[in-house]
Every structure is written in C-alpha cells, then in structure tokens.
Amino acid sequence: MSIASVKKSARSFGVCSLLAVTMAGAYAQAPALRPPATPPAAPTMSAEQWRQAAVADVEAAYLVTLDDHPGTVDPANPDFAGNLEKAREGAQLLASKVRDGAGYAAALQHFNALLGDGRAGVVLKDMPPAPPRWPGFITAWRGDNMFVAATTPGGPAVGARIADCDGKPIAQLVETNVFGFGQRSGGTGPWWSFAPDVFIDQGNPFITLPVQCIFIDEGRESRLTLSWRPMDEAAQRLRDDSFNGITQPPGVSTPRYGLHWFALPTFQPNDTERAAYGAMLAEVQANRQRYLDANAVVIDLRGNQGGDAVWAMNLARALWGESRVNRRLKVAQARQAVMWRASFGNIAYTSFESAQLTDKERSALGYDPAAIAQGMLAAQSRDEKFYPDPARRAAVNDSDRAENLPGDPAPFTKPVYVVVPGQCTGACLEALDVFSLFSNTRLIGAPSAADSSYTGIRLEPLKSGLASVIVPSKVVVNRPRSAATFYTPAIVVNDLEWSQRAFLKAIEADLVRR
C-alpha cells in the first residue's frame, strides 16, 4: 500500500488537514481547564444539540484513541485499553444527560478522568462556557490538608484548615468533584495544583457543590455556609498565585550577594521571553566564574507547564559544562528508544507533515518524517503495531562515565536549588531529569506530577469543533524515569505564600545546615 492510498483511507474528519502541534504534556494534565478571566461566549445550541454533540464527541474520541494512540497496543501499559473502554462507557453515561455547555465539558472531562493518562483524551476549546463562581475565598493544598490562602471580608481566616464539607472529608470531595473530571497523573503534585478547584464552580451539573464547611483556625472550629458568587479577574489571580506564587519573567537576578536566581517560568516562550532566555544564557557563558564562586544558585520552575526542555538543557550546559551534561545524558539514556505507532492515521499525518515542512524545519526536527512514514507503512504491512526509530545511539564507554575529562571547563560544584511546582510535567520533568544528574542539585518546593511515556502529539479536532483528541504518535521505551515516577523534593515548602521570600528563607536555613 502506498502513502497516497493511506491518505485516501484516513478518517473523513481530516487527519491530513491538521496543522502540526507541539506539546510536551501541558494540554491534558489539568483536571479541568482553568477558566479565563473573561470566558468566551458559549455557542448557541439547544439542549438536544448539546447532548448530541457530547455523545458524538465521546464516541469519536474513543475511536480515534483506539485506532491511533500507542497506549492501546503498548505491552508496557496493559491497563490502557481497559481504561479506554471504561472512559467511553462512563462518559457516554453522562453525555446522554447533557443539557448545556457545562454538561458537555463535564462529560468530556470525565472521559479524561477515567482514561487517566496525561497524554490521552481530549482538550476542550473555549471552555467552560459560563463564568466561574467562587465562595469568596481561595484555598491552597499543602502536605495532606487544604488551607484558606486568601479571603474576602466576612470569610474564613487565612491559614484556617478546611476539615470537611457537608459531612465529607475534604480529600473525598476533591476526589469526586475535581479529579473525577480530568486526568490526574501519579503522585501528589496534582493535589497542590488542582485540589483547590473544589471551590471553583464551573457549572458542572454532575456534581454537588459544597454548602457548609468546617474550618479549624488555631484549634477553634467554626462552620460557614458558602455563598457562591461570580469570579472576577482579581479572584482568578489569587487562584493562580495560591499554587505558583508570584512568578518572575525569564532571566537571572541576584536577591543577595552570592546567591543567583534563575527564573524559568515557561518552556513555551514568546518572542520577548525567547530574547530574555538568550540574554540569560549569554550572561552565564560570559561570566561563568561568577556562578562558580557563588554561595548558591536557584533555578525556579514555578509556573512552568512544559513545552521544550531545550531552555533547561542550555542552562545546564552553561553552568556544568556542555561536555559533562552530554556525557551524563548519554549514560542515563543509553537504553532509551522511540517506537512509532504504525496506524493509518499516524502514517497519513506524518506523510502530510513531511510534505509541508521546509528543509530547515525538517532538519530542526532531528528526523525525516517521510522516512518515518515509510517505515511505519512497512511495519503495518507486516501487521506490526510499532516501527522502531532507526536512530542508533553510540555505545557508552569508560570516558562517558568520567566525572571530568581534559578539555572540560572548571567543575561547577556550588549548591543548586531547583524550585519544583506541583504541576511540573512534560518538559518541566525533563528539566528535573537533567539537573538531577548532578549531586550538587537539591529539589525544593512541592512533589512534581508524573508523566506519560507518549510523545509526538497532534490534536485532531472533533466534528463539533468544541474539542480535539490528543494523539501521540510514538512511545518512549526504557526511559530512566518511568511513567509512574515523580520527583519528591528534599525540602518541602508548605508555606501558604509561595513567594521568593519564603523559598529564600528555606534555602538560607539549608545552607546553614550544610
């Protein structure tokens, strides 16, 4: 079968008409897409049209995932196919009851929750369709409990712990109302980032909002009946700050003499942020001795939700030395390989991608999509589910394991503190993989999220235009960090206010102990 015939066989909703989408895990990790400050207007649809859209989109998401997602045939992930069936069944049960946009969003998010993989499921477009509401206070999850992080007059005291609502422990309510409607990767990091959404009402008709909650403040217990009201921009900023704190733009600063702070809040930079990263790296390369002589270096990943880990890689190479970083990565990833899912849709898309790319863009990819498409097609003709990436890694030798080699720059051995946010996944986790290769690195902050092994993602729009299916084309095998592994910081910062000041206090205390 030729690639041209594969294109003709591709699904009718247009796998060959898609634009390339780069994603490293941020699209589908959140249990619910956070509402923008001013939500877009919802499409004008009748209750029956919303129901039909939900039913059709759940079924289409199921079929696309079944056909093209590597997880359905991945021998290392035997639960995926069963979870996909459960996701279809559970989401269709809700879809049949949908009457509006909020119900549509909830049904599709329930599909994500039951599927349970951060790189599978759907991404909603312009959802939720209604302005969110809040009870006049913002919470934060710290350790194993939820606390009031910000409040309005007459609300509960800042710092008060929320014990339960309507007779249900707060953790149980979070499991039902939040994590029942969106993916949750492994570990406790997602609790830090998303558990407070239990007090954000997005109109989900399939949950019961809390009515009365018990707050404990300095040993005193009080009950509060919640008063839900529209959420304004200020409230949304408070929500974002409750788990990330006030982040800094990309760049390096010096909070005090001898301590340097690198802010890496995004790996999906715009033009201004790219320029800032470039200036930061140029500064380190020009003045590396400054960091070799420092008391400590801080690498702040707060706000980071993945993208392209090259920005972290470049900083690591500037600090520790390019050859050292490359050697350690080579050793760590010696057995790592990539397998391409050989399906009609993936072959058609990869072929189309090849036809659209310039030579420069093809070179930047690091592989030839046309060759990959031909390889997948050949694998499919042999009834094989995967095509192994033809790239071959050089064998590891003794010099690769050397701490230092002639020609290396001077060793960088000063303490490095990497601030980890709870939502850290995708390329953010890849940054931790690199920084953690060196013994002078210590993680501080919150537990990270875990990460799927699937990559090379595109988004296939559903017929309704309200959502897209997440379709990875390949799986990474023998990765040193498994899909269930997350990072636990050596220094957990449970302060309600995740400010630079709070982290500096914890870092200074650790430097004294050292």
Side-chain angles (χ1 to χ4, degrees):
M1 180 181 290
S2 69
I3 287 180
S5 63
V6 171
K7 286 183 179 181
K8 292 178 182 177
S9 302
R11 285 178 299 276
S12 60
F13 50 82
V15 67
C16 293
S17 65
L18 298 174
L19 296 177
V21 176
T22 301
M23 191 186 98
Y27 285 103
Q29 290 291 340
L33 296 183
R34 288 225 172 80
T38 304
T44 302
M45 294 166 61
S46 68
E48 177 59 18
Q49 287 174 321
W50 278 115
R51 186 194 68 79
Q52 291 177 0
V55 169
D57 283 357
V58 168
E59 187 65 15
Y62 164 80
L63 291 173
V64 173
T65 305
L66 181 66
D67 287 348
D68 291 341
H69 198 291
T72 59
V73 291
D74 183 0
N77 191 2
D79 295 333
F80 188 97
N83 290 339
L84 178 59
E85 294 293 336
K86 293 176 184 176
R88 177 197 201 184
E89 181 180 348
Q92 284 292 19
L93 183 62
L94 296 189
S96 66
K97 304 174 184 178
V98 165
R99 306 290 296 169
D100 57 19
Y104 169 91
L108 273 291
Q109 290 285 18
H110 191 55
F111 180 86
N112 289 349
L114 295 175
L115 187 49
D117 189 288
R119 295 185 185 176
V122 298
V123 176
L124 299 175
K125 179 182 178 181
D126 295 341
M127 290 290 175
R133 299 190 304 158
W134 69 317
F137 59 87
I138 296 294
T139 60
W141 189 269
R142 298 291 184 264
D144 296 324
N145 292 288
M146 185 172 285
F147 300 89
V148 177
T151 190
T152 53
V158 171
R161 178 173 65 86
I162 305 172
D164 71 57
C165 293
D166 305 325
K168 296 179 181 178
I170 192 63
Q172 179 183 336
L173 195 63
V174 170
E175 288 280 9
T176 302
N177 288 11
V178 178
F179 293 130
F181 294 89
Q183 290 109 329
R184 176 180 57 184
S185 54
T188 57
W191 283 80
W192 285 63
S193 300
F194 304 117
D197 284 342
V198 74
F199 293 109
I200 307 294
D201 173 25
Q202 297 187 35
N204 185 344
F206 304 117
I207 64 173
T208 301
L209 291 175
V211 175
Q212 189 176 76
C213 299
I214 295 177
F215 298 83
I216 300 175
D217 181 31
E218 297 182 350
R220 295 187 300 272
E221 182 179 299
S222 62
R223 292 178 181 271
L224 178 67
T225 298
L226 306 189
S227 174
W228 294 88
R229 66 203 75 169
M231 197 173 188
D232 59 16
E233 291 186 19
Q236 182 60 46
R237 286 195 297 271
L238 289 173
R239 170 66 187 97
D240 293 340
D241 292 347
S242 71
F243 68 95
N244 268 325
I246 299 175
T247 60
Q248 298 171 295
V252 59
S253 59
T254 304
R256 70 150 171 86
Y257 180 79
L259 190 147
H260 306 286
W261 189 287
F262 291 92
L264 281 68
T266 178
F267 289 155
Q268 303 174 70
N270 56 32
D271 289 344
T272 300
E273 291 164 335
R274 283 175 178 270
Y277 274 130
M280 177 182 74
L281 293 170
E283 203 286 326
V284 178
Q285 292 162 350
N287 300 287
R288 185 170 180 264
Q289 190 62 44
R290 175 182 302 164
Y291 304 99
L292 300 184
D293 296 337
N295 299 138
V297 164
V298 181
I299 301 174
D300 185 2
L301 294 173
R302 286 178 303 150
N304 198 298
Q305 298 188 61
D308 188 343
V310 67
W311 308 104
M313 191 79 70
N314 288 341
L315 177 59
R317 287 168 172 154
L319 288 172
W320 280 281
E322 182 172 0
S323 55
R324 285 195 191 88
V325 171
N326 292 347
R327 289 199 303 270
R328 296 202 180 196
L329 280 172
K330 181 181 178 182
V331 172
Q333 299 175 356
R335 297 179 60 248
Q336 183 171 298
V338 169
M339 306 284 284
W340 294 80
R341 171 71 175 101
S343 70
F344 281 114
N346 290 343
I347 294 168
Y349 178 81
T350 307
S351 173
F352 172 75
E353 178 186 36
S354 176
Q356 302 302 308
L357 293 176
T358 64
D359 289 341
K360 182 178 180 180
E361 290 169 334
R362 189 176 290 106
S363 176
L365 276 179
Y367 63 88
D368 182 359
I372 296 298
Q374 292 287 358
M376 288 195 289
L377 188 63
Q380 189 184 62
S381 70
R382 299 189 297 267
D383 199 27
E384 296 173 358
K385 304 301 182 184
F386 291 100
Y387 166 61
D389 193 302
R392 292 287 181 268
R393 294 183 180 275
V396 173
N397 55 45
D398 289 342
S399 64
D400 293 324
R401 295 186 174 89
E403 185 78 15
N404 300 296
L405 288 176
D408 283 347
F412 172 55
T413 59
K414 293 303 172 70
V416 176
Y417 295 89
V418 181
V419 179
V420 183
Q423 82 274 8
C424 183
T425 189
C428 182
L429 283 177
E430 292 172 17
L432 297 185
D433 292 340
V434 176
F435 298 140
S436 297
L437 291 172
F438 296 90
S439 60
N440 57 324
T441 295
R442 182 166 290 190
L443 305 186
I444 180 172
S448 75
D451 195 20
S452 174
S453 298
Y454 306 114
T455 186
I457 287 171
R458 67 178 186 271
L459 298 180
E460 283 203 18
L462 293 169
K463 186 175 181 180
S464 70
L466 298 169
S468 297
V469 189
I470 301 164
V471 188
S473 58
K474 52 190 175 180
V475 57
V476 180
V477 298
N478 299 322
R479 187 177 65 181
R481 171 175 45 81
S482 73
T485 299
F486 59 95
Y487 283 97
T488 301
I491 306 170
V492 178
V493 176
N494 280 321
D495 298 54
L496 278 180
E497 182 184 333
W498 254 39
S499 61
Q500 184 185 59
R501 179 178 57 188
F503 281 98
L504 285 172
K505 180 180 177 181
I507 289 168
E508 297 288 10
D510 189 68
L511 287 172
V512 170
R513 287 192 295 270
R514 287 190 174 198

